[in-house]
Each structure stands twice: as structure tokens, then as C-alpha cells.
Amino acid sequence: MAVTDRATSAEEHDGGPVAPAFSGDAAGSGDGRSVYAISVAAELVGTGQQNIRQYERKGLLTPDRTDGGTRRYSENDLATLRRIGVLLDEGLNLAGVKRVLELEEANRGLTEDNRGLSEHNEELRADNRGLRKDLKAARGGG
């Protein structure tokens, strides 16, 4: 598969965000809405429409569809297609690509959970310091 825009290496995808922030220049949609037809998506990522349909059949991505069933691809979908291209170029088969994408998504979720737990831990530590200070004052030591 010949995918253009290979500036993104595998090392940059350790579970961090797959899709860059959306610039908002596709049909004026800055909120990640699906705006590209399959032909445009294929051209933007440098692959064929049949490849994209195969990736969908294999569960690698699920584009939104119009009421009439037409696929509509978002910037996030394009980023996923580019990531698929990088992984294929590195020698993975589609099953391997699917597993990597799943693991990266799981890693992003765990990273987010960890961030939330760290913030909660800091709040608990601050509460604990306040309680210790109050206890010390109540005992007459402060």
C-alpha cells in the first residue's frame, strides 16, 4: 500500500493520540464531524478505495454513514488510515494492525485513567495535610 505523509513514525505512536488536532478546514467542520467521501479520503491518505473498504470489513475503522449509507470519513478516520499505512509498511498484516490499534486505544484509556487517579491522589494528599494540620491544632500543638 502506498500511503503518503510518512513523517509519523512508529515510535511516535506509543498509545498517544492517533489523530492530530483538527484544523477545521474540511467543509468548515472543526468538531471532528465526518466530512469526506471515500474517494476523497482515499486520495488524501494515498490509498485505494478498495483498501479502505477492506479495512472497514476487518474492523480497523468504522466511518460514519449518511442516512443513505454513504461512508463519511472524519479527520480521526484519516489519521487512523495513515496509521494503518505506517504499520503495513513496517510489515504487519491486517490482523497485526488491528491488534496494534486496539492496544494503542487501550493504552490511551489507561493513560487517561492514570492521569485522573494522579489528580485525585493529589487532592487526597492535600485533604490529608489539612486534616493533620487541624488535628495538630486541636491537640494544642499548633
Side-chain angles (χ1 to χ4, degrees):
M1 172 179 150
V3 175
T4 59
D5 191 314
R6 288 300 158 92
T8 306
S9 69
E11 293 79 28
E12 293 173 300
H13 290 281
D14 60 357
V18 171
F22 180 56
S23 65
D25 51 2
S29 172
D31 61 3
R33 288 183 289 158
S34 301
V35 295
Y36 300 108
I38 192 169
S39 59
V40 175
E43 185 176 333
L44 288 171
V45 299
T47 192
Q49 294 177 37
Q50 289 301 322
N51 289 339
I52 296 175
R53 288 183 185 101
Q54 182 180 20
Y55 304 154
E56 184 180 350
R57 282 191 302 273
K58 296 287 186 179
L60 301 179
L61 78 156
T62 306
D64 287 338
R65 289 183 180 256
T66 64
D67 291 339
T70 302
R71 293 172 177 90
R72 303 299 286 179
Y73 295 87
S74 68
E75 287 294 321
N76 288 343
D77 293 328
L78 297 182
T80 299
L81 288 167
R82 289 183 185 105
R83 182 67 177 135
I84 291 168
V86 167
L87 293 169
L88 290 171
D89 283 352
E90 291 179 354
L92 275 71
N93 61 21
L94 291 180
V97 169
K98 183 175 184 179
R99 188 66 180 134
V100 167
L101 294 176
E102 290 169 349
L103 289 170
E104 288 174 346
E105 179 63 27
N107 193 38
R108 280 189 296 280
L110 291 171
T111 299
E112 186 175 317
D113 289 348
N114 190 40
R115 189 175 303 116
L117 289 170
S118 293
E119 291 169 3
H120 185 67
N121 190 29
E122 283 302 313
E123 292 170 8
L124 290 173
R125 288 177 187 268
D127 289 347
N128 191 18
R129 284 189 296 271
L131 290 171
R132 287 176 185 253
K133 183 178 177 181
D134 292 345
L135 180 60
K136 187 175 181 182
R139 289 182 175 165

